[in-house]
Amino acid sequence: MIETAEDYREAVLSQQWWEKRSFVGCDFTEADLRGLRTQGCTFDQCDFTKVDFEGSRHEASAFRSCTFDRSVLSGTRWSSCSMLGSSFVDCRFQKIAFTECDLSLVSLSRNRLSKVDLSGLRLREANLTEADLTGADLRGADLTGARLAGAKLDGADLRGARIDANGLVQANLSGVHVDTETAIAYAAAHGLVIH
């Protein structure tokens, strides 16, 4: 069953268990989704503005082209989820846990992601412009095509991460932990001739 354009604004849906449900264009603005558990659910073009997700758990669920504006994501766990093309604006990411998730084409511009574990995630063509990634763990992340202009990366760990030449030119890698391969690619992207 697919729920289309349903109005869940300000609904109290905390501590529920949803399995294999589909939502298209639904409005969850200011809904209480604390402790919600989803498994195998799909959310397409849904609005999660000011939604409180605190403590929720999501497994093998897809949140595609959704809007998360001032949403509370603290203490949430996302496992094998897709966030393809979703937009995050001024969200709270404290103690968030991502495992094997696809964040391709997401917009995380200007969000505070300091010390967040993003290791091993797919962040292809993600918009990380001016995002605060201070001390973030990006080991093994796929940042191919990601926009990194103005991103704060001090103390971030990029060892084993995949970053193309454009990302290496945009990013300020001062104070960032990298492996030899990334250091060489960074030098080459900045015009150094390596012998």
Side-chain angles (χ1 to χ4, degrees):
M1 182 174 126
I2 299 175
E3 299 181 47
T4 306
E6 293 290 331
D7 185 352
Y8 292 100
R9 284 179 293 182
E10 299 183 18
V12 178
L13 303 166
S14 58
Q15 307 301 326
Q16 293 192 19
W17 166 262
W18 294 352
E19 189 172 6
K20 296 181 181 175
R21 291 177 66 176
S22 294
F23 302 85
V24 178
C26 295
D27 187 351
F28 290 89
T29 300
E30 296 191 62
D32 180 354
L33 300 181
R34 288 176 295 170
L36 172 71
R37 295 191 66 191
T38 68
Q39 184 169 24
C41 293
T42 58
F43 300 83
D44 290 290
Q45 299 175 347
C46 293
D47 189 347
F48 294 104
T49 297
K50 294 185 178 178
V51 167
D52 190 346
F53 281 98
E54 189 167 8
S56 63
R57 305 283 182 266
H58 309 278
E59 186 175 343
S61 292
F63 295 79
R64 296 178 293 238
S65 299
C66 293
T67 300
F68 296 83
D69 186 347
R70 292 162 287 167
S71 307
V72 177
L73 303 171
S74 304
T76 57
R77 296 190 182 281
W78 310 77
S79 178
S80 302
C81 290
S82 171
M83 314 296 275
L84 184 71
S86 288
S87 174
F88 295 83
V89 179
D90 198 21
C91 294
R92 292 188 211 157
F93 288 96
Q94 294 91 349
K95 298 181 181 176
I96 193 168
F98 291 109
T99 307
E100 297 180 12
C101 290
D102 186 351
L103 279 71
S104 295
L105 297 167
V106 300
S107 177
L108 290 161
S109 178
R110 297 188 179 97
N111 277 278
R112 295 179 66 198
L113 296 157
S114 57
K115 298 183 180 176
V116 172
D117 185 352
L118 302 169
S119 60
L121 299 185
R122 179 178 275 179
L123 288 153
R124 287 175 165 257
E125 298 184 48
N127 181 2
L128 296 166
T129 305
E130 297 181 19
D132 183 356
L133 293 157
T134 306
D137 187 347
L138 289 155
R139 287 175 297 170
D142 185 351
L143 292 157
T144 308
R147 287 180 275 166
L148 295 163
K152 297 174 186 167
L153 290 159
D154 299 343
D157 194 338
L158 286 165
R159 289 176 288 182
R162 282 182 281 182
I163 308 173
D164 56 22
N166 191 41
L168 289 169
V169 169
Q170 291 176 10
N172 176 359
L173 298 187
S174 178
V176 174
H177 302 278
V178 297
D179 51 27
T180 304
E181 186 177 331
T182 302
I184 292 170
Y186 180 78
H190 284 81
L192 291 180
V193 179
I194 301 167
H195 295 284

